[in-house]
mmCIF file of all heavy atoms in Angstrom:
data_model
loop_
_atom_site.group_PDB
_atom_site.id
_atom_site.type_symbol
_atom_site.label_atom_id
_atom_site.label_comp_id
_atom_site.label_asym_id
_atom_site.label_seq_id
_atom_site.Cartn_x
_atom_site.Cartn_y
_atom_site.Cartn_z
ATOM 1 N N ALA A 254 60.052 65.746 152.874
ATOM 2 C CA ALA A 254 58.738 65.641 153.514
ATOM 3 C C ALA A 254 58.785 64.652 154.700
ATOM 4 O O ALA A 254 58.182 64.892 155.766
ATOM 5 C CB ALA A 254 57.684 65.219 152.502
ATOM 6 N N THR A 255 59.530 63.551 154.532
ATOM 7 C CA THR A 255 59.650 62.571 155.597
ATOM 8 C C THR A 255 60.332 63.208 156.807
ATOM 9 O O THR A 255 59.899 63.042 157.954
ATOM 10 C CB THR A 255 60.434 61.348 155.099
ATOM 11 O OG1 THR A 255 59.677 60.746 154.070
ATOM 12 C CG2 THR A 255 60.656 60.350 156.226
ATOM 13 N N ARG A 256 61.402 63.931 156.550
ATOM 14 C CA ARG A 256 62.146 64.642 157.620
ATOM 15 C C ARG A 256 61.227 65.570 158.392
ATOM 16 O O ARG A 256 61.201 65.586 159.633
ATOM 17 C CB ARG A 256 63.355 65.381 157.022
ATOM 18 C CG ARG A 256 64.275 65.971 158.074
ATOM 19 C CD ARG A 256 65.499 66.678 157.438
ATOM 20 N NE ARG A 256 66.214 65.836 156.523
ATOM 21 C CZ ARG A 256 66.276 66.030 155.205
ATOM 22 N NH1 ARG A 256 65.635 67.016 154.629
ATOM 23 N NH2 ARG A 256 66.985 65.200 154.449
ATOM 24 N N LEU A 257 60.415 66.314 157.666
ATOM 25 C CA LEU A 257 59.491 67.266 158.282
ATOM 26 C C LEU A 257 58.439 66.541 159.148
ATOM 27 O O LEU A 257 58.190 66.933 160.274
ATOM 28 C CB LEU A 257 58.793 68.097 157.202
ATOM 29 C CG LEU A 257 57.785 69.122 157.685
ATOM 30 C CD1 LEU A 257 58.469 70.167 158.615
ATOM 31 C CD2 LEU A 257 57.153 69.803 156.501
ATOM 32 N N ARG A 258 57.864 65.465 158.588
ATOM 33 C CA ARG A 258 56.857 64.697 159.371
ATOM 34 C C ARG A 258 57.431 64.088 160.652
ATOM 35 O O ARG A 258 56.815 64.078 161.669
ATOM 36 C CB ARG A 258 56.212 63.635 158.485
ATOM 37 C CG ARG A 258 55.266 64.198 157.483
ATOM 38 C CD ARG A 258 54.430 63.113 156.765
ATOM 39 N NE ARG A 258 55.233 62.123 156.098
ATOM 40 C CZ ARG A 258 55.680 62.218 154.852
ATOM 41 N NH1 ARG A 258 55.368 63.293 154.122
ATOM 42 N NH2 ARG A 258 56.403 61.271 154.302
ATOM 43 N N VAL A 259 58.665 63.614 160.550
ATOM 44 C CA VAL A 259 59.315 63.025 161.732
ATOM 45 C C VAL A 259 59.552 64.097 162.781
ATOM 46 O O VAL A 259 59.294 63.898 163.987
ATOM 47 C CB VAL A 259 60.606 62.295 161.358
ATOM 48 C CG1 VAL A 259 61.416 61.927 162.614
ATOM 49 C CG2 VAL A 259 60.298 61.069 160.537
ATOM 50 N N ARG A 260 60.019 65.245 162.355
ATOM 51 C CA ARG A 260 60.244 66.383 163.310
ATOM 52 C C ARG A 260 58.934 66.750 164.004
ATOM 53 O O ARG A 260 58.855 66.978 165.193
ATOM 54 C CB ARG A 260 60.806 67.560 162.598
ATOM 55 C CG ARG A 260 62.276 67.557 162.542
ATOM 56 C CD ARG A 260 62.851 68.930 162.142
ATOM 57 N NE ARG A 260 63.869 68.722 161.207
ATOM 58 C CZ ARG A 260 63.991 69.309 160.056
ATOM 59 N NH1 ARG A 260 63.185 70.190 159.675
ATOM 60 N NH2 ARG A 260 65.015 69.023 159.273
ATOM 61 N N ARG A 261 57.854 66.831 163.191
ATOM 62 C CA ARG A 261 56.541 67.160 163.795
ATOM 63 C C ARG A 261 56.101 66.095 164.799
ATOM 64 O O ARG A 261 55.581 66.394 165.832
ATOM 65 C CB ARG A 261 55.514 67.313 162.678
ATOM 66 C CG ARG A 261 55.660 68.579 161.899
ATOM 67 C CD ARG A 261 54.580 68.668 160.836
ATOM 68 N NE ARG A 261 54.696 69.903 160.092
ATOM 69 C CZ ARG A 261 54.150 70.134 158.932
ATOM 70 N NH1 ARG A 261 53.385 69.218 158.387
ATOM 71 N NH2 ARG A 261 54.295 71.248 158.330
ATOM 72 N N ALA A 262 56.284 64.819 164.407
ATOM 73 C CA ALA A 262 55.877 63.738 165.281
ATOM 74 C C ALA A 262 56.666 63.787 166.568
ATOM 75 O O ALA A 262 56.103 63.467 167.668
ATOM 76 C CB ALA A 262 56.039 62.399 164.601
ATOM 77 N N ALA A 263 57.968 64.114 166.495
ATOM 78 C CA ALA A 263 58.756 64.187 167.695
ATOM 79 C C ALA A 263 58.306 65.316 168.641
ATOM 80 O O ALA A 263 58.518 65.232 169.842
ATOM 81 C CB ALA A 263 60.224 64.401 167.309
ATOM 82 N N GLY A 264 57.650 66.311 168.050
ATOM 83 C CA GLY A 264 57.169 67.441 168.863
ATOM 84 C C GLY A 264 55.870 67.156 169.547
ATOM 85 O O GLY A 264 55.304 67.991 170.292
ATOM 86 N N GLY A 265 55.317 65.991 169.369
ATOM 87 C CA GLY A 265 54.049 65.645 170.014
ATOM 88 C C GLY A 265 52.879 65.914 169.081
ATOM 89 O O GLY A 265 53.045 66.377 167.940
ATOM 90 N N PRO A 266 51.685 65.584 169.533
ATOM 91 C CA PRO A 266 50.493 65.758 168.667
ATOM 92 C C PRO A 266 50.213 67.245 168.397
ATOM 93 O O PRO A 266 50.482 68.092 169.216
ATOM 94 C CB PRO A 266 49.375 65.170 169.532
ATOM 95 C CG PRO A 266 49.851 65.191 170.927
ATOM 96 C CD PRO A 266 51.373 65.097 170.869
ATOM 97 N N ARG A 267 49.742 67.429 167.210
ATOM 98 C CA ARG A 267 49.359 68.816 166.827
ATOM 99 C C ARG A 267 47.835 68.926 166.951
ATOM 100 O O ARG A 267 47.104 67.950 166.727
ATOM 101 C CB ARG A 267 49.759 69.101 165.372
ATOM 102 C CG ARG A 267 51.291 69.061 165.263
ATOM 103 C CD ARG A 267 51.837 69.367 163.903
ATOM 104 N NE ARG A 267 50.871 69.233 162.832
ATOM 105 C CZ ARG A 267 51.019 69.823 161.628
ATOM 106 N NH1 ARG A 267 52.049 70.583 161.422
ATOM 107 N NH2 ARG A 267 50.162 69.633 160.691
ATOM 108 N N HIS A 290 44.162 66.930 156.880
ATOM 109 C CA HIS A 290 45.319 66.931 157.798
ATOM 110 C C HIS A 290 45.110 65.876 158.907
ATOM 111 O O HIS A 290 44.836 66.185 160.052
ATOM 112 C CB HIS A 290 45.454 68.322 158.488
ATOM 113 C CG HIS A 290 45.561 69.430 157.473
ATOM 114 N ND1 HIS A 290 46.744 69.702 156.826
ATOM 115 C CD2 HIS A 290 44.663 70.301 156.992
ATOM 116 C CE1 HIS A 290 46.548 70.709 156.015
ATOM 117 N NE2 HIS A 290 45.305 71.073 156.076
ATOM 118 N N ASP A 292 47.053 64.212 160.561
ATOM 119 C CA ASP A 292 48.053 64.262 161.685
ATOM 120 C C ASP A 292 47.720 65.317 162.711
ATOM 121 O O ASP A 292 48.434 65.485 163.678
ATOM 122 C CB ASP A 292 49.470 64.444 161.108
ATOM 123 C CG ASP A 292 49.592 65.750 160.340
ATOM 124 O OD1 ASP A 292 48.619 66.107 159.622
ATOM 125 O OD2 ASP A 292 50.627 66.391 160.432
ATOM 126 N N VAL A 293 46.636 66.098 162.479
ATOM 127 C CA VAL A 293 46.267 67.204 163.409
ATOM 128 C C VAL A 293 44.932 66.857 164.061
ATOM 129 O O VAL A 293 43.949 66.510 163.359
ATOM 130 C CB VAL A 293 46.158 68.529 162.625
ATOM 131 C CG1 VAL A 293 45.734 69.646 163.602
ATOM 132 C CG2 VAL A 293 47.494 68.867 161.931
#
Side-chain angles (χ1 to χ4, degrees):
T255 299
R256 187 178 306 112
L257 179 62
R258 286 191 301 272
V259 168
R260 271 195 224 130
R261 285 181 180 163
R267 296 182 340 158
H290 305 280
D292 60 323
V293 179

